[in-house]
Amino acid sequence: MDEPKEVDPAMSWGSDVAAQMLRRLDIPYVALNPGASYRGLHDSLVNHLGNRAPQMIMCLHEEQAVAIAHGYAKATGRAMAVALHSNVGLMHGTMAIYNAWCDRAPMLILGATGPVDATLRRPWIDWIHTSQDQGALVRNYVKWDDQPGSVAAIPESMLRAWQQTSSAPHGPVYVCLDAAIQEQRLNEEVPIPDPGRYAAPMASRPAASGLREAARLLAGAARPVILFGRGRRTEEAWERRVALAERLNAAMLSDLKAGAMVPTDHPLHVGEPFNQLSKAAKDALQRADVVLSLASIDLGGVLRQAYGRGAIPARVIHAGDDLYLHNGWGKEHMELPAIDVHLLGDPDAAVAELLDALPSPPRVATSRSSESKEHASEQLNLHAVARALREAVGEQPVSFAALARAWPVDLWPHRHPLDYLGKDGGGGVGSGPGLTIGAALALKDSGRLTVGVLGDGDCLMSMNALWTAARYRIPALFLIANNRSYYNDELHQEGVARQRGRNPANRWIGQAIDHPAPDIAKLAEAQGVAGIGPLRQVQELREAMRKAVECVRSGSPCLIDVHIDPGHGRHLRESMAERSLAKQA
Ligand SMILES: Cc1ncc(C[n+]2csc(CCOP(=O)(O)OP(=O)(O)O)c2C)c(N)n1
Ligand SMILES: [Mg+2]
């Protein structure tokens, strides 16, 4: 697709070097929205590389370009590239970069600035699109950034960026290319080193003494609990996690933020993956004598929910390397947890080492818990959506790239590391469409069906991401859990009103996305994505889902707008508002 004519294979311009680096780093795609600050690079991608390896993925907004790269990274564990125009394109991309940063997702962001040499700037436009220290816009939430000062400096800069983003703990990196340097004619050859010699180092294994101590504690534990946070999405790592839990007969708790790390219907698994701890999860933790956290995203917060502000009776082991990224600007390091044995390094390596160190054979025989609890319902809610999707997809594996709140994981257990890719990282609403498209791009030849279950607010914020899915025939299924509201925040308003003795019935004002309810299926259709809905009757689901799955299987994206009951699965007692108000009271 989009093959240019008469490609010039000679490396003759500064930006050809940057483009060649992308190819040699084996980066398949560059998501972008164009801009003159990188017109040099754009030309190199088209007229020097022929828009192949990497291929451009054009987006209608920079936030979508970044979110697509983020979704791709979630599905593959690998970075793809993004190109962002000068300061303004970077500003548009910032929220999505923040999401990727909090999610510890790898990503190579190429930026550009107007000429640093003022004598080369065109009047007006190059002046407003040049900033002193452009990387400062994102430095607090990228892992590394650079602005090479010459063409010859580009290979090293990009190699280091790649090495940084590809080594654990991951995070986005930003390389800003001076427009004047991109547009310099080369008068001598610029050597490009072999990227193989600058590869990311292997993830570090935790120290042996810590592992011995952890194994000793776990071997003596009567009621251990394992908290599964971030980890590799490989079947091997998955099997080892399960084997460790089985060997220890440990209660397993999964985190919705991290995505599928262990089977959620395993007999040792406690309840559904959590956003906030369920009663059963709290009980398991309160009974625990040893807690093993495998890269938990918010260990401090989990311990706080289980034990309050009091002492933590359980011994706590934590494996992970997130500590290396904490810079103090963001507080995504979360509450500082009490840790008795800190296994600094790769959590999956810790699992492998602990398995080697712990006595076998397994202490329990395990069998899958019974099939999902089907409870038919006549209401149009996410249970009905899940059942209709199951019927339409049959045995084909599904990857959920996003899950709106109240999706019934009990009806759809996670049984493979790619079954669910976790949350957006930074809680920046508007990420869902891009994450879904990025994951679908990565998984399009995998035999999996990629699905994003998105809130209406999330979807509407980034509706124009769908054009990219239509343009490149990226087979994603968007299911819109449309409650015609920023419902999460309605609950906050209700909670505040109650706290103040005011009228909670006014909670919808400034929150409802209704009168008119945007026609999301039409918004999809308008961009070339098949749009079905709005569905208002449960009876309409079955046929709609059959058509949608057929469409996606044929290689095209499809969206179903489902008008669900606003209150479905969300009650004030679950909400943040209630919890924080309860604390104040
Ligand atoms: C960029 C951004 N703007 C606003 C918010 C605040 N916010 C958090 S959840 C939410 C509601 C999202 O609505 P929707 O996707 O429809 O989900 P619902 O709560 O209705 O299930 C909002 C506005 C945010 N987190 N991020
Ligand atoms: Mg909503």
Side-chain angles (χ1 to χ4, degrees):
M1 181 186 262
D2 302 340
E3 288 214 7
K5 300 191 177 71
E6 292 171 41
V7 169
D8 169 16
M11 209 164 75
S12 333
W13 300 91
S15 56
D16 291 349
V17 174
Q20 278 293 340
M21 285 304 302
L22 292 175
R23 175 168 287 177
R24 302 210 189 170
L25 289 166
D26 206 17
I27 294 173
Y29 303 111
V30 189
L32 56 81
N33 182 271
S37 62
Y38 73 83
R39 64 188 185 183
L41 177 67
H42 199 111
D43 173 74
S44 300
L45 293 170
V46 174
N47 285 320
H48 175 54
L49 296 187
N51 195 24
R52 274 190 317 102
Q55 183 202 335
M56 287 180 179
I57 301 289
M58 208 185 129
C59 303
L60 302 187
H61 193 295
E62 289 84 355
E63 193 174 294
Q64 326 305 2
V66 176
I68 287 173
H70 183 181
Y72 179 91
K74 273 172 153 329
T76 60
R78 263 179 73 84
M80 60 173 257
V82 180
L84 299 179
H85 168 51
S86 74
N87 46 11
V88 285
L90 181 60
M91 288 175 196
H92 255 185
T94 47
M95 189 203 79
I97 297 172
Y98 181 67
N99 273 346
W101 163 255
C102 290
D103 200 31
R104 306 316 191 207
M107 177 184 305
L108 172 58
I109 304 163
L110 291 180
T113 171
V116 168
D117 179 347
T119 65
L120 299 176
R121 279 181 213 147
R122 294 172 294 158
W124 182 62
I125 188 74
D126 270 347
W127 294 78
I128 53 176
H129 287 174
T130 303
S131 304
Q132 186 81 5
D133 190 11
Q134 204 164 278
L137 274 170
V138 291
R139 188 161 302 131
N140 288 313
Y141 45 98
V142 296
K143 207 175 156 188
W144 184 78
D145 76 286
D146 194 26
Q147 185 169 311
S150 67
V151 177
I154 289 175
E156 176 173 333
S157 180
M158 289 180 68
L159 282 171
R160 193 188 302 275
W162 188 253
Q163 192 178 58
Q164 281 279 355
T165 198
S166 307
S167 51
H170 301 282
V173 291
Y174 177 68
V175 176
C176 184
L177 301 170
D178 179 338
I181 292 175
Q182 294 176 57
E183 296 186 24
Q184 250 169 44
R185 185 186 270 285
L186 302 186
N187 36 33
E188 57 186 21
E189 201 187 318
V190 176
I192 297 197
D194 169 10
R197 302 195 70 187
Y198 301 88
M202 275 174 267
S204 54
R205 300 180 95 75
S209 55
L211 285 162
R212 272 197 300 277
E213 179 58 8
R216 191 186 66 75
L217 280 178
L218 287 166
R223 292 170 310 281
V225 170
I226 307 182
L227 291 166
F228 294 95
R230 293 192 185 95
R232 280 194 193 80
R233 289 196 192 287
T234 62
E235 289 179 36
E236 205 187 2
W238 170 283
E239 302 289 342
R240 284 211 195 96
R241 288 181 208 119
V242 176
L244 180 64
E246 290 178 355
R247 191 162 301 175
L248 294 167
N249 199 15
M252 301 156 88
L253 295 183
S254 302
D255 186 339
L256 261 185
K257 297 183 279 304
M261 289 291 138
V262 286
T264 55
D265 59 346
H266 190 284
L268 290 169
H269 200 276
V270 180
E272 291 188 34
F274 65 86
N275 198 26
Q276 293 160 19
L277 289 185
S278 65
K279 169 93 175 51
K282 276 186 201 161
D283 287 350
L285 282 162
Q286 283 163 3
R287 279 195 310 270
D289 51 355
V290 178
V291 173
L292 170 61
S293 149
L294 295 171
S296 278
I297 292 169
D298 181 15
L299 176 58
V302 164
L303 296 174
R304 163 65 60 87
Q305 288 175 71
Y307 304 111
R309 287 202 179 266
I312 292 161
R315 308 287 283 168
V316 180
I317 305 165
H318 174 73
D321 49 16
D322 203 62
L323 190 78
Y324 290 126
L325 293 186
H326 302 165
N327 64 20
W329 178 81
K331 302 301 169 197
E332 83 288 345
H333 45 52
M334 317 289 166
E335 181 172 344
L336 186 67
I339 297 172
D340 300 294
V341 183
H342 201 148
L343 303 175
L344 185 61
D346 177 7
D348 287 312
V351 172
E353 299 274 356
L354 288 172
L355 264 180
D356 281 348
L358 284 161
S360 45
R363 291 202 236 162
V364 281
T366 55
S367 62
R368 278 254 150 89
S369 63
S370 57
E371 273 299 303
S372 51
K373 305 151 215 152
E374 298 286 330
H375 35 91
S377 144
E378 284 309 300
Q379 283 177 348
L380 190 47
N381 56 33
L382 291 181
H383 288 97
V385 173
R387 273 196 307 278
L389 179 64
R390 171 59 81 206
E391 188 184 316
V393 292
E395 292 304 303
Q396 184 181 7
V398 168
S399 284
F400 289 102
L403 285 180
R405 176 106 146 235
W407 176 260
V409 179
D410 61 332
L411 286 190
W412 202 302
H414 304 149
R415 291 178 174 162
H416 184 278
L418 288 172
D419 280 359
Y420 169 51
L421 304 179
K423 281 181 170 283
D424 56 26
V429 169
S431 60
L435 290 174
T436 304
I437 295 166
L441 176 67
L443 298 172
K444 67 181 162 52
D445 300 318
S446 67
R448 295 188 144 256
L449 191 95
T450 305
V451 178
V453 186
L454 314 178
D456 50 326
D458 185 35
C459 184
L460 286 164
M461 238 185 233
S462 295
M463 200 64 217
N464 58 359
L466 268 68
W467 178 84
T468 299
R471 177 69 184 82
Y472 297 97
R473 292 197 79 220
I474 299 171
L477 175 56
F478 306 90
L479 298 178
I480 313 308
N482 188 350
N483 49 19
R484 280 87 69 217
S485 171
Y486 294 116
Y487 198 73
N488 178 74
D489 288 75
E490 272 197 48
L491 296 180
H492 281 278
Q493 295 321 127
E494 178 176 339
V496 173
R498 281 187 197 285
Q499 162 81 4
R500 297 178 176 182
R502 294 175 178 169
N503 188 357
N506 291 329
R507 69 179 200 185
W508 60 273
I509 297 174
Q511 303 282 357
I513 314 174
D514 214 345
H515 313 295
D519 188 332
I520 299 180
K522 274 198 187 141
L523 289 168
E525 286 279 342
Q527 300 176 85
V529 171
I532 302 175
L535 304 188
R536 296 194 178 88
Q537 309 286 335
V538 72
Q539 294 78 4
E540 298 172 300
L541 262 178
R542 191 181 206 188
E543 180 55 13
M545 207 63 91
R546 190 192 61 70
K547 275 196 195 146
V549 167
E550 194 180 288
C551 173
V552 177
R553 281 185 182 151
S554 77
S556 295
C558 186
L559 176 146
I560 307 183
D561 180 16
V562 189
H563 279 203
I564 57 166
D565 163 24
H568 168 67
R570 311 188 79 173
H571 307 291
L572 182 61
R573 77 187 128 74
E574 295 182 352
S575 80
M576 294 260 303
E578 161 114 325
R579 282 162 22 89
S580 54
L581 290 167
K583 220 182 287 167
Q584 286 166 24

